[in-house]
């Protein structure tokens, strides 16, 4: 029930009752006052005691009622069916169900009385009360002990269950309780506790306290005696509620428990709790709605007046909501979640640890070894290239490879160090600056072939993060001497042309290696294992080139190329008896010390790689085929016009002349194309083709000459009508200078062809010289044929021949001039000429063969005019260098012209 005791709104209280404001009953609040007597065994109160329901004091006209004894009610249980179970926390006062208010109940209970508060009223007569209650008696002491008083009996008011019209008002249940109530409960003032009768005053209890003041077990059975206003107010709070309020008890249990403890402690301090008197009426719990319904049915059966059903009640104002309390989460839940997460993470770590140290331990161990183990390459010393006499043409000297860490060079000093490095290394400052600017890398190679003195000077200068590695560099003491033949070595130490490339494996040797364990800074870790493999140095290669003759050949052809305005020139000097190449010169020649600046065309060894149409120098093969076949002899006479028709072409001699009789020797000496065609027709294309093949045309020469080409020799079946004629005098086939020199070496050697050789031998690991095997020998023509052709070539160098400028005083020289139309591959047509001369000396005992070729000369084009002088200069120097004496014999007399 709500706070009706203080406001005078509850039944059984008058306007001047103890619970009313300002009435005489307010004196009950003082301990020991007149109002206290009403609680002692139900006796009448004094004048200062509690008034009846009308608020009048007791008097002779209004004597107090004596309580009537009534038989026990079989339905009067110690605890009503509507009472909350024991141990259930009390409900809040704001949970009273909606419905009629107490004031409405009072008005309905006492509608006949006016001028008197609705909450008060006179007590009912005995019969009426007995008719309604059955077993209960009316009297001045009727009601609860210590109640608020009745109307006509010793300060006792009528019972809380009696209405003003004499009917028995049913006890308040869940429908009658205020919404803020928290279930049935007794106040601590009306509840005996620990044998003492302490009570608590209304002013000492919080206004919004709710619920049951003490345990259900301590509550006396029966109806609760009415005491002070505080007890009435608390009783009103616990008599209301509904099922929803009952459900909220459990939620508000902690707070109500704290309030109960506070009330109990204060009650103990004030000494206000008192035990109920012995023999007094037992408090009776309010009955639920079902009990009240049964009561109305029982009253109707007895013929009594049935109380009307109650209508809806207005809800009392809700008390202010308690402040929101921040409820923290359950720490146990957070701890459990944290432990689960930590267990999961630790399990991952443990699994990874097992994998790394157990399953994959070997893999990681190998990776660790690979990170700290470094292999340092120990370069092998490259073998040297020497001439036939052991003079170095390409040698290896110790050098340093310089590298730098650009990240250690500050931007402020970068320009300073770039200028110094460029000056000492012979490189451009822009190139060095670009390398120093690459700070995203820790290694930049500056140079490879650095002189040790220069490297030491730079390290002493304090260049930051400059590293010097021992290596070797290639030197070419002779400069451009046989440059394209020797070739050069690239930055990686591999040969890129000539002998350097062809014999790279032999020259380079095998690099060694050293495996060491180093730390992060690159320093070797002491006391660690290391593996050392010694390098195998390269072997030296000795060429057949004679340094002096090579120099003379280069000088002579370079001068003539410059004088004739030719594109290029070639000179080959070959030993007749061994076919060893003594000199192989090209003009212009490659400077090996500055090969990076030379054009790509200079890298090619033209003497072995460039092909050209030989021209008249090829007539010796036609002569050898005709003489070897017996079709002609040197003295065979031909009637030779200056032109001849061959298929759809008309071919002419080099000089116009009238038709005349010529011996074959004279035709060769004067280089007549028409006479050569006549001799070739006697042989046939097939025999001529086989002779060309035998001399090495269309086949790559052996002997280890680098970049040697095979030339072009079409099959005779594919020759055109004019080509069967032009091939006889050297047009329509292509050869190299090396192939043409091999042809004359075969004639000079008595008809035996030997594969030309460029390598004389090598040195083994102990430094012992191992000569190269001799070239393969092949008989091409008979010695008689070779001798007859030699006499024919000797007349070509005489005053009656075209090669007079090639004659060497004191020596018998045999040779042949050549002038051919030059095919320009860039233009795709014939453009210019190829002038050549090839011969050998001494003619009667040949020792050397010299060939000179000029490509596309601008100042003249005849071989006898441009190439013969080169032959003479080179042959003269070679004979003297080789100390070849003249034979002293004179040329035998021969028949040059017809009719002699």
């Amino acid at each position: 029930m709500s706070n009706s005791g203080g406001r005078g709104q509850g039944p059984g209280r008058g306007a001047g009752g103890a619970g009313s404001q300002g009435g005489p009953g307010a004196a009950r609040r003082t301990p020991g006052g007149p109002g206290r007597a009403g609680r002692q065994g139900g006796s009448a109160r004094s004048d200062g005691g509690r008034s009846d329901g009308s608020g009048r004091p007791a008097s002779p006209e209004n004597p107090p009622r004596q309580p009537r004894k009534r038989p026990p009610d079989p339905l009067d249980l110690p605890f009503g069916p509507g009472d909350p179970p024991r141990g259930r926390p009390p409900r809040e006062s704001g949970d009273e169900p909606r419905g009629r208010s107490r004031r409405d109940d009072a008005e309905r209970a006492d509608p006949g009385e006016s001028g008197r508060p609705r909450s008060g009223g006179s007590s009912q007569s005995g019969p009426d009360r007995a008719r309604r209650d059955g077993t209960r008696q009316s009297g001045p002491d009727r009601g609860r002990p210590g109640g608020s008083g009745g109307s006509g009996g010793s300060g006792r008011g009528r019972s809380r269950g009696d209405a003003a019209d004499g009917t028995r008002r049913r006890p308040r249940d869940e429908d009658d309780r205020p919404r803020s109530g928290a279930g049935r409960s007794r106040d601590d003032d009306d509840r005996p506790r620990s044998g003492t009768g302490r009570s608590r005053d209304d002013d000492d209890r919080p206004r919004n306290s709710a619920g049951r003041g003490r345990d259900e077990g301590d509550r006396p059975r029966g109806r609760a005696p009415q005491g002070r206003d505080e007890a009435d107010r608390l009783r009103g709070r616990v008599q209301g509620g509904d099922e929803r309020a009952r459900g909220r008890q459990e939620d508000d249990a902690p707070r109500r428990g704290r309030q109960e403890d506070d009330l109990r402690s204060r009650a103990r301090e004030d000494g206000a709790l008192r035990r109920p008197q012995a023999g007094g009426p037992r408090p009776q719990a309010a009955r639920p709605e079902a009990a009240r319904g049964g009561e109305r049915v029982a009253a109707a059966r007895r013929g009594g007046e049935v109380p009307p059903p109650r209508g809806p009640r207005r809800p009392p104002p809700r008390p202010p909501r308690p402040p929101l309390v921040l409820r923290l989460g359950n720490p146990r839940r957070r701890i459990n979640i944290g432990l689960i997460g930590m267990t999961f993470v630790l399990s991952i770590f443990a699994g990874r640890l097992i994998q790394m140290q157990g399953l994959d331990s070997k893999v990681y161990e190998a990776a660790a070894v690979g990170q700290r183990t470094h292999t340092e390459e120990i370069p092998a010393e490259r073998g040297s290239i020497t001439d036939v006499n052991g003079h170095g043409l390409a040698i290896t000297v110790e050098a340093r490879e310089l590298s730098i860490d650009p990240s250690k060079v500050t931007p402020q000093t970068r320009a300073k160090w770039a200028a110094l490095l460029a000056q000492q290394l012979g490189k451009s400052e822009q190139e060095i600056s670009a390398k120093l600017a690459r700070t995203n890398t820790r290694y930049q190679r500056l140079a490879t072939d650095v002189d040790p003195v220069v490297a030491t000077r730079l390290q002493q200068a304090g260049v930051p993060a400059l590293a010097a590695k021992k290596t070797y560099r290639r030197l070419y003491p002779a400069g451009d001497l046989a440059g394209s033949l020797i070739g050069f070595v690239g930055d990686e130490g591999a040969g890129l042309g000539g002998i350097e490339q062809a014999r790279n494996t032999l020259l380079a040797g095998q690099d060694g290696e050293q495996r060491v364990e180093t730390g992060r800074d690159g320093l070797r870790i002491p006391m660690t294992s290391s593996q050392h493999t010694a390098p195998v140095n390269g072997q030296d290669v000795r060429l057949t080139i004679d340094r002096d003759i090579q120099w003379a050949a280069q000088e002579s052809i370079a001068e003539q190329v410059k004088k004739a305005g030719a594109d290029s020139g070639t000179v080959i000097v070959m030993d007749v008896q061994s076919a060893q190449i003594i000199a192989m010169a090209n003009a212009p020649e490659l400077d090996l010390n500055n090969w990076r600046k030379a054009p790509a065309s200079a890298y090619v060894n033209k003497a072995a790689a460039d092909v050209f149409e030989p021209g008249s120098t090829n007539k010796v093969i036609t002569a050898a085929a005709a003489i070897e076949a017996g079709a002609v002899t040197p003295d065979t006479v031909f009637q030779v016009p200056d032109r001849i028709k061959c298929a759809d072409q008309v071919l002419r001699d080099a000089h116009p002349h009238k038709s005349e009789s010529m011996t074959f020797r004279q035709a060769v000496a004067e280089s007549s194309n028409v006479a050569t065609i006549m001799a070739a027709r006697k042989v046939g294309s097939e025999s001529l083709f086989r002779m060309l093949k035998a001399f090495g045309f269309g086949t790559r020469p052996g002997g280890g000459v680098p970049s040697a080409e095979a030339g072009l020799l079409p099959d005779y079946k594919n020759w055109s009508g004019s080509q069967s004629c032009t091939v006889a005098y050297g047009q329509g086939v292509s050869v190299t200078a090396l192939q043409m020199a091999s042809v004359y070496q075969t004639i000079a050697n008595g008809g035996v062809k030997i594969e030309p050789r460029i390598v004389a031998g090598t040195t083994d690991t102990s430094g012992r010289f191992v000569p190269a095997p001799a070239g393969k020998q092949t008989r091409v023509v008979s010695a008689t044929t070779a001798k007859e052709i030699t006499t024919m070539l000797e007349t070509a160098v005489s005053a009656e021949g075209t090669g007079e400028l090639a004659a060497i005083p004191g020596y018998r020289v045999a040779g042949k001039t050549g002038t051919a139309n030059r095919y320009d591959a860039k233009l795709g047509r014939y453009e210019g000429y190829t002038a050549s001369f090839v011969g050998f000396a001494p003619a009667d005992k040949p020792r050397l063969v010299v060939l000179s070729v000029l490509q596309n000369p601008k100042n003249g084009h005849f071989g006898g005019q441009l190439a013969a002088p080169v032959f003479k200069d080179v042959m003269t120097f070679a004979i003297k260098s080789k100390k070849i004496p003249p034979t002293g014999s004179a040329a035998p007399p021969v028949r040059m012209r017809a009719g002699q």
Side-chain angles (χ1 to χ4, degrees):
M1 298 175 66
S2 63
N3 299 333
S4 60
R7 297 182 180 87
Q9 295 178 359
R13 287 178 175 81
S20 63
Q21 297 179 359
R28 187 176 63 84
R29 296 173 181 259
T30 306
R36 295 288 180 177
R39 301 182 65 88
Q40 301 298 325
S43 61
R45 294 176 182 269
S46 63
D47 295 340
R50 199 169 169 164
S51 64
D52 56 6
S54 62
R56 294 191 298 263
S59 64
E61 294 78 4
N62 189 18
R65 293 184 180 184
Q66 298 296 328
R68 292 183 301 178
K69 295 183 179 181
R70 56 185 177 85
D73 191 350
L75 299 177
D76 191 7
L77 300 177
F79 297 98
D83 289 347
R86 295 182 180 228
R88 181 174 293 178
R91 297 179 181 176
E92 293 292 340
S93 60
D95 296 335
E96 180 180 355
R98 298 181 181 270
R100 295 186 303 244
S101 66
R102 292 189 186 192
R103 190 175 300 275
D104 296 338
D105 295 340
E107 290 175 357
R108 186 181 295 106
D110 194 8
E113 292 183 358
S114 61
R116 184 182 298 180
R118 288 186 176 89
S119 62
S122 62
S123 61
Q124 293 178 345
S125 62
D128 295 338
R129 187 174 301 276
R131 187 183 307 115
R132 185 164 58 88
D133 295 340
T135 60
R136 296 185 182 180
Q137 298 178 0
S138 63
D141 293 336
R142 184 179 179 274
R144 283 170 287 199
S148 59
S151 62
S154 299
R156 300 291 296 184
R158 67 173 175 265
S159 172
R160 295 178 64 88
D162 296 339
D165 56 359
T167 61
R168 173 75 175 176
R169 191 164 62 90
R170 61 184 175 182
R172 301 180 65 88
D173 57 356
E174 294 175 356
D175 296 334
D176 299 330
R177 294 184 212 140
R179 298 187 66 84
S180 62
R184 287 182 58 86
S185 173
R186 294 176 183 270
D187 194 278
D188 290 343
D189 296 342
D190 298 336
R191 210 184 315 171
R193 191 170 190 83
S194 303
T196 61
R198 294 184 182 179
S199 63
R200 182 178 174 184
D201 197 87
D202 191 19
D203 295 335
D204 297 333
R205 192 181 185 281
R207 302 288 293 178
N208 60 349
S209 76
R212 306 161 67 165
R214 66 188 176 92
D215 296 339
E216 293 287 339
D218 298 333
R219 183 175 60 186
R221 303 175 66 87
R223 296 178 60 86
Q226 292 186 1
R228 299 176 308 175
D229 293 342
E230 177 69 20
D232 293 340
R233 182 164 54 86
L234 292 176
R235 187 180 301 109
R237 292 186 182 182
V238 302
Q239 287 180 353
D242 52 7
E243 290 300 324
R244 183 179 57 188
R246 186 177 292 113
R248 293 169 54 188
Q249 285 181 351
E250 296 179 0
D251 298 338
D252 299 336
R255 183 176 51 161
R256 289 195 296 271
R258 290 193 299 268
Q259 292 175 356
E260 287 183 11
D261 295 341
D262 185 53
L263 288 174
R264 292 171 184 169
S265 63
R266 291 188 182 183
R268 292 190 187 99
E269 293 174 2
D270 296 343
L273 289 175
R274 290 180 298 172
R275 297 181 181 178
Q277 294 181 1
R282 296 175 65 182
Q284 183 177 1
R287 301 177 188 178
E289 184 64 25
R292 288 196 296 272
E295 187 180 19
R296 285 196 298 270
V297 173
R301 290 176 179 176
R302 292 192 298 268
E305 185 179 7
V306 179
R310 294 184 181 183
R313 302 180 61 181
R314 292 177 298 177
R318 292 179 179 270
R321 292 186 177 181
L324 295 176
V325 179
L326 178 62
R327 294 186 178 182
L328 300 178
N330 191 352
R332 181 174 298 175
R333 183 182 303 170
R334 292 195 300 271
I335 292 174
N336 292 338
I337 294 175
L339 290 176
I340 293 173
M342 292 176 60
T343 303
F344 178 73
V345 173
L346 291 177
S347 64
I348 293 177
F349 290 164
R352 183 62 174 163
L353 187 63
I354 293 173
Q355 179 189 4
M356 294 178 64
Q357 294 189 352
L359 302 178
D360 298 340
S361 59
K362 298 298 182 182
V363 177
Y364 288 102
E365 181 181 358
V369 172
Q371 288 181 355
R372 68 175 180 266
T373 302
H374 298 276
T375 302
E376 297 179 357
E377 184 180 273
I378 304 175
E381 184 177 356
R382 192 176 182 85
S384 300
I385 300 176
T386 64
D387 70 344
V388 69
N389 297 317
H391 298 103
L393 301 177
I395 61 175
T396 299
V397 296
E398 186 176 336
R400 297 290 183 270
E401 178 182 303
L402 295 183
S403 61
I404 196 170
D405 184 358
S407 61
K408 299 299 179 64
V409 181
T410 60
Q412 296 79 7
T413 61
R414 188 175 298 161
K416 168 187 173 183
W417 299 122
L420 178 62
L421 290 171
Q423 178 184 3
Q424 294 294 327
L425 299 178
K427 297 180 179 295
S428 64
E429 187 174 347
Q430 291 78 8
E431 179 183 355
I432 301 299
S433 298
K435 291 183 178 181
L436 296 181
R438 298 173 185 171
T439 55
N440 58 338
T441 63
R442 302 195 62 181
Y443 176 82
Q444 281 293 310
R445 187 168 59 182
L446 300 178
T448 55
D449 298 334
V450 181
D451 189 273
V453 177
V454 176
T456 303
R457 188 184 303 124
L458 288 175
Q459 288 180 328
Q460 292 176 354
V463 180
L466 182 67
K469 177 182 177 181
K470 181 181 178 181
T471 183
Y472 297 96
R473 64 169 178 164
R474 200 69 162 169
L475 290 182
Y476 303 96
D480 63 347
L481 189 68
S484 58
L485 171 64
I486 296 173
F488 52 90
V489 176
D491 295 335
E492 300 299 329
L496 298 181
I499 298 296
E500 294 277 22
Q501 183 179 17
R503 303 285 176 150
N504 182 71
T505 304
L506 188 66
L507 290 168
Q510 186 176 358
D511 294 339
E513 63 179 14
Q514 182 177 5
R515 299 183 64 186
V516 296
E517 296 185 16
T518 60
R520 185 177 181 181
D521 53 358
L523 298 178
R524 182 177 177 180
I525 302 175
M527 307 299 293
T528 57
S529 61
S530 62
Q531 298 179 359
H532 179 80
T533 303
V536 178
N537 294 332
Q539 300 182 26
D540 295 340
V541 175
R542 182 180 298 183
L543 302 180
T544 60
I545 299 294
D546 188 301
R547 183 182 61 176
D548 297 336
I549 298 175
Q550 177 72 28
W551 174 84
Q554 283 188 202
E555 289 292 323
S556 178
I557 191 63
E559 182 180 356
Q560 188 66 16
V561 166
K562 183 178 180 181
K563 184 185 298 185
D567 294 342
S568 62
T570 300
V571 171
I572 294 177
V573 178
M574 184 181 295
D575 188 271
V576 172
Q577 297 177 358
S578 63
Q580 294 182 353
I581 301 173
I582 298 174
M584 182 175 283
N586 295 285
E589 190 58 271
L590 174 64
D591 186 1
L592 297 178
N593 292 325
N594 297 291
W595 59 267
R596 294 178 177 86
K597 299 180 180 179
S601 59
Y603 298 162
V604 179
N605 183 15
K606 298 178 178 61
D610 279 1
V611 295
F612 58 92
E613 295 186 3
S616 297
T617 56
N618 193 55
K619 292 176 180 178
V620 294
I621 298 177
T622 305
I627 295 173
E628 186 72 14
V632 295
T633 62
D635 297 330
T636 302
V637 177
F638 293 95
Q639 192 67 31
V640 181
D642 62 349
R643 68 191 62 183
I644 188 174
K645 187 175 182 181
C646 190
D648 57 345
Q649 298 288 332
V650 176
L651 305 177
R652 296 179 176 84
D653 273 338
H655 304 282
H657 60 86
K658 294 179 180 180
S659 180
E660 59 178 330
S661 297
M662 291 184 182
T663 62
F664 190 53
R665 182 179 290 108
Q666 180 183 0
V668 172
E670 295 180 2
S671 190
S672 173
N673 295 334
V674 176
T676 305
I677 293 172
M678 292 178 178
R681 284 179 175 177
K682 291 181 178 294
V683 176
S685 298
E686 183 177 359
S687 298
L688 181 58
F689 173 79
R690 286 198 300 266
M691 187 59 68
L692 292 171
K693 195 74 175 177
F695 275 99
F697 281 27
T699 303
R700 187 186 302 273
V705 180
S707 304
E709 295 292 339
L712 299 175
L713 177 62
D715 190 272
Y716 73 96
K717 297 178 182 179
N718 299 324
W719 290 354
S720 64
S722 60
Q723 190 174 9
S724 58
C725 299
T726 59
V727 169
Y729 59 84
Q731 295 278 178
V733 292
S734 296
V735 294
T736 63
L738 181 59
Q739 287 176 320
M740 187 53 64
S742 179
V743 170
Y744 281 81
Q745 178 272 331
T746 302
I747 299 298
N749 196 36
V752 177
K753 179 180 178 293
I754 302 175
E755 286 185 346
R757 291 187 303 161
I758 193 66
V759 176
T762 60
T763 58
D764 58 12
T765 55
S766 61
R768 183 174 60 89
F769 177 74
V770 179
K776 181 181 178 181
Q777 299 184 6
T778 304
R779 167 71 64 177
V780 178
V781 293
S782 61
T784 303
T785 302
K787 188 172 182 175
E788 289 181 351
I789 293 175
T790 300
T791 59
M792 296 171 63
L793 295 176
E794 190 175 2
T795 57
V797 181
S798 64
E800 298 180 1
T802 56
E804 183 179 3
L805 296 178
I808 300 174
Y811 289 87
R812 296 174 58 180
V813 177
K816 183 69 181 73
T817 61
T819 304
N821 293 324
R822 180 175 177 271
Y823 181 81
D824 195 329
K826 295 180 179 179
L827 299 177
R829 65 174 186 270
Y830 284 95
E831 183 71 22
Y833 295 91
T834 298
S836 61
F837 186 93
V838 57
F840 50 88
D844 53 341
K845 193 176 181 180
R847 295 282 308 274
L848 299 174
V849 174
V850 175
L851 176 142
S852 62
V853 180
L854 283 83
Q855 297 291 342
N856 197 22
K858 306 299 188 298
N859 303 323
H861 61 278
F862 292 109
Q865 179 184 3
L866 300 177
V870 175
F871 168 86
K872 179 181 180 179
D873 293 341
V874 174
M875 181 62 79
T876 302
F877 185 89
I879 289 173
K880 292 180 179 179
S881 179
K882 291 290 184 178
K883 300 179 179 179
I884 300 174
T887 58
S889 62
V894 291
R895 180 183 176 190
M896 288 291 296
R897 298 180 182 275
Q900 288 183 350

